[in-house]
Amino acid sequence: MRETAPDPLATALDRLIRQRSFDIHFQPLVAIDRAEIYAFEALTRAPADGPLHSPLVLFDAAARCGRLIELEQLIVRRAAERFKALGLPGQLFINVTADTLLAAREHVGTLAQELRELGLPTSRIVIELTETRPIDDLAQLGGTLAALRAHGFRIALDDLGEGFASLRRWMEMRPDFVKIDRHFIDGIAQEPLKQQFVRSIVEMAATSGGEVVAEGLEQEPDLEVLRRLGISLCQGYLFARPSATPRARLGAQWSGRLAAAAQPRLLQNDLALPLEQGAITTAAQLARRALTTTPDATCRQIVELFQKDEQLLAVPVLDDQQRPVGLLRSLQVLKRSTERYFMDIFAKRSCVEVMDTHPLVFDVSTPLRAMSDAVANLDERLLTDGFIVTRDGAYFGSGRCSDLLKAVSDLQVHAARYANPLTLLPGNVPIDHHLDRLIEGGETFLAAVWDIDHFKPFNDVYGYRVGDDIIRLAAQALTRAADPQIDFVGHIGGDDFVMVLRSADWEDRLDRVCAAFDAGVRSFFSAEHLAAGGYVTLNRQNQPSFHLLPTISCGALLHQPGSFDSARALAAALAEPKRVAKGRAGGSRFFVDRRQRSIHALTTVEDHVPAEVL
């Protein structure tokens, strides 16, 4: 009887598990809005000279041999040990399959105890469900996830949009983190459909209280697009490749660039700033009358024009109605003119043959922020050629990108004088200026004041650095819930914020703030405090006092034209709904006073009882 030859992969796997001859590499997840490393993902690497070196081969072999759970349990412990030994900061993401999760339900307490003995709190561990294996029993998986959360672990769903992942699983799992598959991230700067997909995911995550992570980031233009779409956590080769000995902090190159790139959010509320006389805020102020031409000009004429004037970089092409139809670029035209036979064929033809039919065009009213966003996506080789400004579709003038960048820089410096240094959100002066402008203009809007409940005892227990992180979390929740085109977020100081919403769906946006804060704040608590719902400290009389975990609360009112004569009067009226909101029990919440007011009298549509919205 012929003996079956041993499976070389099974043999190699048995040796790897027995000798534990695998390494753990770590790749950072970067918080691009704070210019720092937020977490590390642990990745398994088998010996390079063996048949299981590829992770795909390794885990496939383990699944076929019925040893996947055994292998992943070893990896989880090794990853935690190496993470602690290297002294890495932030959260630790560990990949596991559904098979291992389902088998681990009865052992979650043991794992939590092992981590505590290692000096690694479960609040720093994120269990990342990979999409390499199907899930047959969603109900049983839900029980395992509940057990993990009860012990302080957080949950991430990997590769959304690929494999077995689905929106249904997202809705049922309600993970703390959702990782978007790299297919939707790579090249997103050039793919409007990918941008729409990611935008939808970000909006859904804001509602469910989850955090979105962009995986597979390799190109800097993609980073800028992700930032504008509201993504704050990114992972990929652009920042760092997986390493057995990763840097504990972001390199100076990236920390400086990310910090600088985060500054444009100061432009979110351009009109809220008390601007100086002559400050540049729109495209009209950057436009200059310049040389133009028409499609009647020949290629020869344009080539000669650029050859005669080396300082001439670009010439707009206008139709009979003075509307721009393209842009002639010096570098492009002169390069074409040197091609063999070009002048023989095209010399007498219209210049449209060599013009760019999709130049950068702004209306005179376009604000600097929108112009800055558009220029950020432009090929840097085209920056020197500038842009065209129109009024009612007709040519108004030409602008230089260097002037635009200087104006943006000036506005940022001006904004920084009035910004809160911790969050970089507008402070008291621009808040009052913005409210006064809306009141004087007879605008309808919702004014809301937010603050963090039970914040001082939390600060005393966990320290001011963690307290600052909680304040940044609140700022992030507010700014993500606001529409940057029409809404406003300001930071009064400490843990107090102002939100001015002109969006019609303001109620949904208030809900998003509460959900995002409640979901994000959990990672700051120890498992013990999470289980107890708070902690005990000694009061001024040296007596034990129990304090609830921090939540965020909001008092708001609907402003109708003529309700108030100043921001000061409006702020005074907000004190009552804020008091009502803070008096309510439960998680994060808001209370909206819907009463119609006038400067001289108070009237209501139905009665004098504020309408509660919870």
Side-chain angles (χ1 to χ4, degrees), residues 313-326:
L313 301 177
V315 177
V317 182
L318 312 180
D319 64 12
D320 294 340
Q321 283 77 45
Q322 293 295 292
R323 294 174 302 191
V325 294

Side-chain angles (χ1 to χ4, degrees), residues 31-38 232-233 258-259 262 469 472 476:
I32 61 175
D33 57 339
R34 301 200 300 271
E36 63 185 26
I37 293 177
Y38 175 82
S232 61
L233 293 179
L258 289 176
D469 288 339
R472 291 192 190 96
Q476 183 182 78

